[in-house]
Amino acid sequence: MDCNHEVVYNGLCALCGSDVESSEGQTHINMSHDSRGITVSRQEAERLEKENAERLLSSRKLSLILDLDQTVVHATWDPTVGEWMNDENNANHPATKDIRKFTLPGSHFVYYIKLRPGLSEFLETVSKLYELHIYTMGTRHYAEAVAREIDSTGKLFRNRILSRDESGSVTQKKIQRLFPCDTSMVVVLDDRSDVWSFSPNLIRIKPYEFFVGTGDINSPFAPRQPPDQDTLAKVKPLPLPETKTENEKENLESKGDDEEDEEEEQEDESTRKKALDQQEKLQEAMAQEQQEARPLAQQQSTQDRPLLVDDDRELYTMIEILKEIHQRFYNDEGRYERSKTDGAGSLQPKPDVTALMPAMKKKVLEGVHIVFTGLIPQHQTLSSSAIWQLAESFGATCLPDLTGNVTHVVAARAGTDKVHRAQRIPNVHIVSEAWLSDSTARWKKQDEAQYALPELAQAANEVENPESTPLEFDDEEKSTMQLMRAGPTWVTPIPRPAPRRSCPEKERGNGRQTQRRNPLHLGHSHH
């Protein structure tokens, strides 16, 4: 009987021992957490995932993939943290109670890991509803070290840990790496949407930044505060791919498809290893810089208050969101199962988080009509910007300019033309970008009063004659005005109201000086 080579280990069939790499027409998938040597056929992957789905359904669970850095922990190499931990008289000492420290094999750098507030309760609660996986851009040693700190018994994650050493990519994360055939029961929690290509399975949590200014030490991209030139000089850039000569191109064209695919796979593996080495060297340089520069101590020296503040509550919000997703999924599952046995009704669709979660998000900003100002670069198409797409994914309608339908102006600052014009329109909320960020991160529309631009009230008091005060235009508004000067356009500018003229007779008659109303307050008297 011929073997289908369903399971392969390091190129050899685990069932018959044949050299599968030399066989033709067989595609295998790597879906294991901790070994890049084991692959399975597509058919076997489907069978395994079906078994896994049945097991989860029987225990009424879903799968949850957790990121580590800035999702459930925050890490730094700054030795200042260790000093604050040991000094009970230091003002930052009380905030260090949930900080753990460790070193990794082959490294002398000490890692300081701060657990996000509420993490223990989060893991205990969520593990009853979800089977937990770790997926991190950190190394295998780092992932296992953090897992030991947050799951000391090993019962929550077991061996379900995927690091950058096995993931196959140092810049992107893919659900299909663990669930190649069916993602309908998989939820992802991460502080980055872009690394997941804005997957519908994703819940984006606000980044946890306890060590101020540190960012994500395992980020595949440039850190929020990039290292200086001396640090970057220690890291050699990846070599550019060599240009093939004409003879090499002819030789490549003469090779069969299988041989060409094999060479491409080897090149991809080589590039991946170079990228891993590059990232490791960059991390070492950044760690060395933190050890020497001690950025936390420098920042604390300029402040009178403690630098470390531990008031984050985001994991408690995530508990409620994950509970609701789980409840809705199994409500849909119940309706689906009942419809299969109910001959009178139509068959209900199978529950799928990739449909359920986007539908839930759409309700958050339903009925909200947003205009952005100062937040989208001039060279970028409005609808292609990340903030525009984020708002629309949560149900908002985004508009290029002020109309009668606008309910919110999301502004980078006060003083732009759109902000001034919006102040004359009743019932329009002028809020900072944080309102949109928090509303989408918490899956709940936030109170606009808490996100009003602080400059507006101050500007209204300071500007004696706002009608003669020059306006500040952002890039997108300058572009709009250029179009308006060039000819007719769909943008209709809202004219400024003519200034009210005082009546000298009335002033003399009642003995009081008549003041001109500040147009910044028009339409807001009922707010």
Side-chain angles (χ1 to χ4, degrees), residues 243-254:
T243 304
K244 291 182 171 61
T245 64
E246 291 300 321
N247 289 336
E248 289 174 328
K249 290 180 181 178
E250 291 178 3
N251 292 335
L252 186 61
E253 291 173 358
S254 65

Side-chain angles (χ1 to χ4, degrees), residues 354-460:
T354 63
L356 172 64
M357 289 173 58
M360 289 175 61
K361 291 196 291 185
K362 286 283 187 181
K363 294 290 185 181
V364 175
L365 298 179
E366 187 176 34
V368 172
H369 292 68
I370 295 177
V371 166
F372 296 104
T373 176
L375 292 167
I376 302 175
Q378 181 180 2
H379 61 80
Q380 188 170 15
T381 305
L382 297 178
S383 60
S384 68
S385 63
I387 193 169
W388 185 291
Q389 294 178 359
L390 174 66
E392 287 192 332
S393 70
F394 278 83
T397 299
C398 299
L399 302 168
D401 201 9
L402 290 164
T403 69
N405 295 327
V406 171
T407 60
H408 292 71
V409 172
V410 180
R413 59 191 178 278
T416 68
D417 178 56
K418 287 177 183 175
V419 169
H420 279 274
R421 288 158 54 195
Q423 287 180 287
R424 305 188 195 102
I425 304 176
N427 303 318
V428 173
H429 299 284
I430 303 173
V431 294
S432 67
E433 187 272 338
W435 172 82
L436 179 63
S437 177
D438 288 354
S439 295
T440 55
R442 296 166 185 168
W443 289 32
K444 182 179 181 181
K445 186 161 76 76
Q446 300 298 295
D447 180 9
E448 292 87 354
Q450 304 299 318
Y451 298 87
L453 294 177
E455 303 95 322
L456 289 183
Q458 181 179 356

Side-chain angles (χ1 to χ4, degrees), residues 36-50:
R36 301 192 72 251
I38 299 178
T39 59
V40 297
S41 67
R42 180 78 184 186
Q43 182 178 355
E44 180 67 7
E46 291 175 353
R47 186 189 68 80
L48 291 173
E49 286 201 32
K50 183 179 179 181

Side-chain angles (χ1 to χ4, degrees), residues 195-247:
V195 297
W196 292 97
S197 301
F198 303 93
S199 167
N201 303 70
L202 175 72
I203 302 173
R204 181 186 61 85
I205 190 172
K206 291 185 67 175
Y208 181 44
E209 190 166 1
F210 178 74
F211 303 115
V212 182
T214 299
D216 183 351
I217 66 170
N218 288 303
S219 172
F221 305 104
R224 288 182 175 86
Q225 293 188 353
D228 57 28
Q229 294 301 316
D230 292 337
T231 301
L232 292 175
K234 301 175 185 177
V235 184
K236 296 181 180 180
L238 284 174
L240 295 174
E242 297 179 358
T243 304
K244 291 182 171 61
T245 64
E246 291 300 321
N247 289 336

